[in-house]
Amino acid sequence: MRWLLDLIDRHSERAVRRVAHQHGRRSLLTKLGVALVGGTVLPMLPFDRSGQFGGPGAAHAAGPGKKAKADPADDPTKCEYWRYCAFDGYLCTCCGGSLAQCPPGTEASKVSWVGTCLNPKDGRQYLVSYNDCCGKASCGECLCNNNERERPGYRLGVHNDINWCMANTSSMFHCTTSIIVGVA
Ligand code: ABN
């Protein structure tokens, strides 16, 4: 009887060792496989990397949890926008109008003053007509005063601190547009 118990013992020990051995090897192989496939395939997946290295998409992808700053030279609601280099007044883009259109209920001034501004996108100088929008009280939003090439007030045509609604039926000044009228 003793010999039978010894035999069962040896058999079970061998079986247990074999299972433990094979299982250990397989799980190692599985882990290696996952690491290899993951490491090779994951970088090939189509992630959006357009925000890297300050490229064109950088403005909307400054990194996790961070908001990139928009360039004010590109934003017509900011005084730093390139067309406003000689602008004096309230931006019509903040007052219900646009760069070239007066807000509803106002009309463009019949006279204006023209500045010359550099467009950083193409390196060219543009003639920009600053027409006031007339017929309503001051808009009061986005007051800007840039004075590139402006001259003192005793020379009316080269001074920008003027109410250009003076020749309209209503001389009430509301806001100012910035209309491109030529290339210098
Ligand atoms: N051109 C804008 C403006 C209007 C009234 C007074 C000064 C400047």
Side-chain angles (χ1 to χ4, degrees):
M1 199 58 188
R2 173 93 202 150
W3 64 270
L4 185 61
L5 287 175
D6 280 352
L7 188 73
I8 293 171
D9 249 10
R10 269 200 303 278
H11 267 279
S12 352
E13 188 186 334
R14 233 179 278 149
V16 167
R17 279 186 191 282
R18 198 169 44 237
V19 167
H21 209 66
Q22 280 177 351
H23 185 70
R25 224 183 298 155
R26 280 210 188 113
S27 54
L28 179 68
L29 280 175
T30 309
K31 279 176 194 153
L32 267 175
V34 167
L36 272 173
V37 172
T40 321
V41 173
L42 271 181
M44 288 195 253
L45 290 175
F47 292 115
D48 177 12
R49 296 186 181 85
S50 58
Q52 291 188 113
F53 315 122
H60 67 266
K66 284 187 190 156
K67 256 197 173 173
K69 271 196 200 151
D71 184 357
D74 275 342
D75 183 352
T77 64
K78 297 281 181 297
C79 295
E80 294 79 11
Y81 183 65
W82 72 271
R83 273 200 216 181
Y84 302 150
C85 75
F87 184 106
D88 186 337
Y90 301 109
L91 302 179
C92 281
T93 51
C94 297
C95 305
S98 68
L99 275 171
Q101 273 202 317
C102 286
T106 64
E107 62 167 12
S109 60
K110 297 190 190 321
V111 287
S112 69
W113 110 279
V114 177
T116 307
C117 300
L118 175 72
N119 180 349
K121 288 261 156 57
D122 62 8
R124 300 175 85 176
Q125 299 275 355
Y126 287 84
L127 300 174
V128 183
S129 175
Y130 299 107
N131 286 77
D132 288 340
C133 295
C134 319
K136 265 186 172 179
S138 276
C139 158
E141 300 287 333
C142 306
L143 176 65
C144 301
N145 187 12
N146 299 324
N147 299 310
E148 248 178 60
R149 280 177 281 270
E150 194 215 13
R151 290 291 175 269
Y154 58 81
R155 290 183 59 196
L156 197 70
V158 284
H159 187 66
N160 68 4
D161 194 9
I162 304 269
N163 180 357
W164 296 108
C165 294
M166 62 175 97
N168 286 53
T169 317
S170 165
S171 61
M172 269 203 294
F173 160 70
H174 186 64
C175 64
T176 307
T177 54
S178 307
I179 304 161
I180 292 179
V181 290
V183 185

